[in-house]
Amino acid sequence: MADPRAVGDRVSPFLDLVSAPFTLPGSRILVFRDGDGLTIRLAEYERDLDDCVLVRTLRVFDGEGHPAPVSTVRPDRIAFGDVTLTFDGPSALSVGGDGSWSVEVDLPSGDAPLRLTSADGAVRIAADGISRGAAHDGALAATARVWDDWLARTPAVRADLVDMTAFCWWVLGANIVSLPGRGARAVVPSKIGDVGLWQWDAYFIASGLRHGDPELAREQLELAFGYAGADGQLPDVVHDEGILASSDDLPPGDRDTLRRAGSAIADPTAPIPLTKPPLAAWALRRLEGYVDDPAFFDASWGAVARSQEWWFARSDLDGDGMPEYGHPYSSGLDDSPVFDAELPVASPDLAAYLILQDDLLAARAREVGDAEAASRHAARASRTLALLESMWDESEGYFRSYGAGSPIDAETAVSLLPLLTGRLPGRYVAGILAALDDPARFATTWSVPTVARREASYSDVRMWRGPVWVNVNALLAEGLAVSGHADRARALIEETLRLVMHGGGPQEYYNPSTGAKAPRATTAFGWSAALFVDLAVSVSA
């Protein structure tokens, strides 16, 4: 177990109250810096933070009435000299301290700000109002215990990775929420912007959590697998109010956002199932050896198998044996230029995921003595591999995507991901390596961009149109390793770790020219944090 106070010391410099707000595992409350004071918001599914303001401005003053600025921020408290702000349970905050002080609270009601003094004891701030006399010392101690328990689980890593690993582990704890009625904790992509359990994010997040809290990692997969449809389809999102499993469930704003980002076909006229790419078996296999629960694995492998059947039975929309993405959201790469074409999109990354998933299902079936299932999964993997090979464009040197049966003129990271199968013939592997080494394609200052630089759609900063994503790099590194290029895999892992440190933390995505956070990228992003931890552990053994 790590020393939680030492880990807290490493985390504190990252807690700027801008990109990393003050929060508590399990809480929806977020505290941000606002000029010389603070603003307090609530994190809710599909609601903008500006629509969820609990306190517009909170300011602390010393005994002489002078503003007391924030002096230090630690995981368990914000200090204004001798006055501190901490949590009083997951749904309230407490302000208190020694000596004489006052606090001014400006509420969104528009009434005159409240000015409360230390004479009546600590101030408790909650969604249901402001009260006095709270046991501030007890709140401080309880909040410290919550964070100490979490930070003590921080995985051990190489010396140069310790600080960022500590921060990334804090991010994972900070992004824990309780989903009402679900009976489980979700580690959300970001309390700042995405409050729910997204299926794909859950897989990457579980991969990092397994190193310090395998039970929480298991909860992520249980939530992801626990709301499958009768036909086996896994939903895109599990959230407070239900699930997101169809384009009919999308709020209009999502469709408009996708269009503004560049995709031309975000709103099909017919309802389209929404899911995420089939990496369920990949994620489940990574928990083996970390979670000791045969019943969990039996149930989960069953859910994965049913989901795999859904892809071939319900998402092979043209009946050619190769499933397609029926909606950009189901790809995880929502705004990629491959979705500027007509739907449905047959994409080499989806083929690769399906091959890998059938291979893992075949291995599982052999382990439990089900020879028939093993043979069926293995045969389908081989058929899908043959279809994948037919997507190779010899003249252009990459695996091409197809929209409604027509080739798509866009070379993107999806053309690299077939490496993940570990089964590509050598000439295709050589072609992918050539693309990775070509400055006109994927050999950018910081690798690996999500669109080849030679493409007209390339951008350093637009989501999925060029910026580097940690999850893509992690999958490519694994693909390089299983395709016989362990040294290149290790080099990509090390570069990805350097990128996160250079970019100031686990951002949603990064500029491949500068390594900086792209302007619209979310900060304190869950899967970037989890995969940094996962990769850091992998190079520290």
Side-chain angles (χ1 to χ4, degrees):
M1 299 287 281
D3 177 352
R5 298 308 169 94
V7 177
D9 290 342
R10 295 182 182 278
V11 170
S12 289
F14 294 99
L15 303 184
D16 60 2
L17 304 182
V18 178
S19 61
F22 182 69
T23 189
L24 184 75
S27 177
R28 299 296 183 98
I29 295 176
L30 300 172
V31 181
F32 294 90
R33 193 182 297 273
D34 180 34
D36 61 353
L38 304 173
T39 184
I40 303 169
R41 295 179 170 91
L42 298 174
E44 302 293 350
Y45 176 69
E46 289 295 335
R47 293 189 64 192
D48 190 277
L49 284 175
D50 287 339
D51 296 329
C52 302
V53 177
L54 183 61
V55 172
R56 289 199 301 197
T57 309
L58 182 149
R59 294 185 179 89
V60 174
F61 299 86
D62 64 21
E64 298 178 355
H66 300 132
V70 171
S71 53
T72 60
V73 182
R74 292 188 59 83
D76 62 329
R77 67 193 67 192
I78 299 172
F80 308 80
D82 293 332
V83 180
T84 53
L85 180 148
T86 191
F87 274 84
D88 186 5
S91 58
L93 295 165
S94 177
V95 181
D98 297 329
S100 178
W101 51 267
S102 62
V103 60
E104 183 181 88
V105 183
D106 183 10
L107 298 173
S109 63
D111 296 336
L114 299 174
R115 191 69 173 262
L116 307 158
T117 71
S118 56
D120 296 318
V123 176
R124 186 178 188 271
I125 302 168
D128 59 358
I130 296 175
S131 57
R132 302 303 305 266
H136 186 66
D137 288 346
L140 280 169
T143 302
R145 285 194 297 271
V146 171
W147 274 115
D148 284 355
D149 178 68
W150 179 256
L151 297 177
R153 300 171 182 270
T154 307
V157 296
R158 206 172 64 197
D160 60 314
L161 305 173
V162 167
D163 286 354
M164 186 55 70
T165 298
F167 179 46
C168 286
W169 192 252
W170 175 89
V171 167
L172 292 174
N175 283 345
I176 297 171
V177 302
S178 296
L179 296 181
R182 305 299 185 193
R185 300 165 294 171
V187 182
V188 303
S190 170
K191 282 183 184 175
I192 295 174
D194 301 294
V195 183
L197 182 122
W198 269 256
Q199 184 195 146
W200 219 30
D201 297 68
Y203 299 155
F204 298 123
I205 287 169
S207 187
L209 286 174
R210 64 186 171 140
H211 299 294
D213 195 337
E215 287 303 311
L216 184 56
R218 174 172 73 168
E219 282 188 52
Q220 307 317 293
L221 299 194
E222 286 177 330
L223 274 170
F225 299 160
Y227 295 89
D231 57 2
Q233 179 203 341
L234 296 175
D236 185 356
V237 186
V238 178
H239 57 83
D240 295 335
E241 300 169 7
I243 61 173
L244 175 64
S246 164
S247 56
D248 279 352
D249 301 329
L250 284 172
D254 275 17
R255 299 166 184 164
D256 294 340
T257 297
L258 196 58
R259 283 206 187 90
R260 286 196 301 272
S263 295
I265 39 171
D267 185 17
T269 56
I272 300 294
L274 297 182
T275 184
K276 277 294 182 280
L279 277 176
W282 174 89
L284 185 58
R285 181 66 80 179
R286 294 169 86 80
L287 291 196
E288 292 180 346
Y290 292 85
V291 173
D292 182 14
D293 188 342
F296 160 74
F297 284 105
D298 287 344
S300 296
W301 280 110
V304 172
R306 290 187 293 275
S307 171
Q308 183 79 342
E309 296 307 317
W310 175 86
W311 278 100
F312 284 92
R314 301 296 297 274
S315 203
D316 178 10
L317 301 174
D318 59 8
D320 67 350
M322 174 70 81
E324 297 93 19
Y325 292 127
H327 190 283
Y329 280 13
S330 293
S331 74
L333 286 71
D334 311 343
D335 306 322
S336 172
V338 300
F339 295 108
D340 292 347
E342 188 177 352
L343 288 173
V345 171
S347 187
D349 65 316
L350 178 55
Y353 300 143
L354 291 167
I355 293 164
L356 175 61
Q357 187 141 285
D358 263 330
D359 281 342
L360 291 173
L361 283 163
R364 168 67 179 182
R366 285 190 288 270
E367 290 167 3
V368 299
D370 188 343
E372 185 278 328
S375 176
R376 176 163 44 83
H377 286 296
R380 187 166 59 192
S382 295
R383 290 195 301 272
T384 309
L385 179 61
L387 291 170
L388 171 61
E389 290 185 45
S390 73
M391 300 172 80
W392 181 260
D393 185 320
E394 192 65 47
S395 63
E396 294 294 332
Y398 67 88
F399 287 101
R400 191 181 283 279
S401 299
Y402 290 79
S406 298
I408 296 171
D409 291 326
E411 184 182 14
T412 74
V414 303
S415 302
L416 309 172
L417 288 167
L419 284 175
L420 196 59
T421 66
R423 296 178 57 178
L424 292 180
R427 70 187 189 93
Y428 302 123
V429 174
I432 291 174
L433 295 181
L436 287 170
D437 291 337
D438 186 348
R441 297 166 78 183
F442 295 100
T444 46
T445 303
W446 293 93
S447 296
V448 173
T450 42
V451 173
R453 286 185 62 86
R454 67 185 182 183
E455 295 292 335
S457 58
Y458 176 86
S459 167
D460 276 340
V461 298
R462 289 181 63 185
M463 177 185 282
W464 294 122
R465 292 179 172 250
V468 180
W469 290 70
V470 175
N471 67 324
V472 171
N473 278 15
L475 292 174
L476 285 174
E478 184 170 329
L480 287 164
V482 299
S483 298
H485 295 274
D487 289 346
R488 290 190 65 134
R490 175 64 178 253
L492 180 55
I493 290 171
E494 294 284 3
E495 181 177 351
T496 303
L497 294 169
R498 291 194 300 274
L499 171 63
V500 174
M501 293 187 287
H502 172 83
Q507 319 295 357
E508 188 178 14
Y509 48 94
Y510 302 81
N511 183 319
S513 296
T514 66
K517 182 185 89 69
R520 296 182 65 86
T522 299
T523 60
F525 195 69
W527 82 35
S528 298
L531 291 172
F532 183 94
V533 171
D534 196 29
L535 296 176
V537 170
S538 76
V539 299
S540 301

